[in-house]
Amino acid sequence: MDFEEADILLVEDNPTDAELTMRALKRKNLANQVVWVKDGAEALDFIFATGQFAHRNVENFPKLILLDLRMPKVDGLEVLQKIKADDRTNKIPVVVLTSSQEDRDIVESYKLGVNSYVSKPVEFDDFIEAVSTLGFYWMLINNPP
């Protein structure tokens, strides 16, 4: 995989959810390059070209970040905070895609600058449809700065 060009950065610790998300995006031809990282620490390394991704050009940012909240090492809220606090990355659209429906997670995500907050549907078909709709909007309809 070419880590230089990522249309979408998927930050998800659950392999099943990651596979379903990538399948939904590819089924609709919404992203040529989806990079999957398994925790918040890997996400920050990818975004800021550090650690195992130090060889990346830090200026090649993903067009969209799909971010889970509940992850090992560094949780999604901390990742979101670091993305939105940095002038280089604060305009990247970040969509929280999580199983959490807790009000405090929703409120905190918006306080930190998330662009959208979506709770993962439990049913397979609903999950695929939600991800497809998200991808369609953020990759084809939305006009980024």
Side-chain angles (χ1 to χ4, degrees):
M1 163 131 343
D2 178 12
F3 291 116
E4 283 301 320
E5 298 294 325
D7 291 330
I8 297 176
L9 177 63
L10 174 60
V11 187
E12 172 62 67
D13 65 317
N14 181 315
T16 302
D17 286 355
E19 179 62 35
L20 290 176
T21 301
M22 290 186 289
R23 192 179 306 163
L25 293 167
K26 288 184 183 193
R27 182 181 291 176
K28 300 286 186 177
N29 294 317
L30 294 172
N32 292 325
Q33 291 284 356
V34 178
V35 174
W36 171 39
V37 294
K38 296 165 189 66
D39 60 54
E42 278 188 28
L44 293 172
D45 281 349
F46 183 87
I47 293 162
F48 295 107
T50 57
Q52 67 177 316
F53 298 105
H55 63 280
R56 279 186 70 253
N57 178 348
V58 73
E59 300 300 320
N60 285 346
F61 295 114
K63 295 179 178 94
L64 174 66
I65 298 171
L66 297 177
L67 179 65
D68 190 16
L69 290 186
R70 304 278 179 261
M71 294 180 296
K73 297 184 183 176
V74 179
D75 76 8
L77 289 173
E78 188 174 341
V79 173
L80 176 62
Q81 186 276 324
K82 289 181 190 288
I83 293 167
K84 294 302 182 178
D86 191 299
D87 287 340
R88 297 171 297 170
T89 56
N90 63 9
K91 291 178 182 60
I92 300 171
V94 179
V95 175
V96 166
L97 183 61
T98 185
S99 55
S100 173
Q101 295 182 15
E102 295 182 29
D103 286 343
R104 65 185 163 93
D105 287 338
I106 298 169
V107 169
E108 189 62 23
S109 293
Y110 278 107
K111 275 186 188 175
L112 292 172
V114 77
N115 298 87
S116 185
Y117 189 105
V118 178
S119 295
K120 294 177 192 171
V122 176
E123 296 297 320
F124 173 79
D125 290 339
D126 294 339
F127 184 87
I128 295 291
E129 183 60 30
V131 171
S132 296
T133 302
L134 274 174
F136 182 76
Y137 174 78
W138 287 105
M139 297 303 291
L140 299 177
I141 295 176
N142 183 57
N143 289 315

